[in-house]
Amino acid sequence: MNNEPLQDQNLISEPIDPYSAKANFDVKEEMLHKYGFPSLWREVSNLLILVGIIAGVVLLFRLF
């Protein structure tokens, strides 16, 4: 068993290409500006839509 500290084991990887890290950051920033931070309203509305779909399927099975 290896008892070296975490820094010596190199478990934390650094980005190989700094330009790819910047590009990834830019894409995430653009998505945040475009769609906004996922809010409670979005989560609640998604849950209500899902419950409505499930209720519709159950209702269809009970009728037919």
Side-chain angles (χ1 to χ4, degrees):
M1 180 172 230
N2 194 355
N3 291 328
E4 296 177 0
L6 289 178
Q7 293 83 12
D8 294 339
Q9 293 178 7
N10 196 17
L11 293 178
I12 301 173
S13 64
E14 295 180 10
I16 296 172
D17 184 11
Y19 297 110
S20 66
K22 173 70 170 126
N24 188 24
F25 175 80
D26 290 341
V27 167
K28 287 182 180 181
E29 183 181 25
E30 182 179 337
M31 288 184 65
L32 182 61
H33 285 291
K34 186 175 181 181
Y35 297 111
F37 191 75
S39 64
L40 178 62
W41 172 247
R42 182 177 293 172
E43 296 296 323
V44 169
S45 64
N46 287 342
L47 182 63
L48 289 175
I49 291 169
L50 180 65
V51 168
I53 291 171
I54 291 172
V57 168
V58 168
L59 183 65
L60 284 175
F61 275 119
R62 295 196 84 171
L63 288 176
F64 296 110

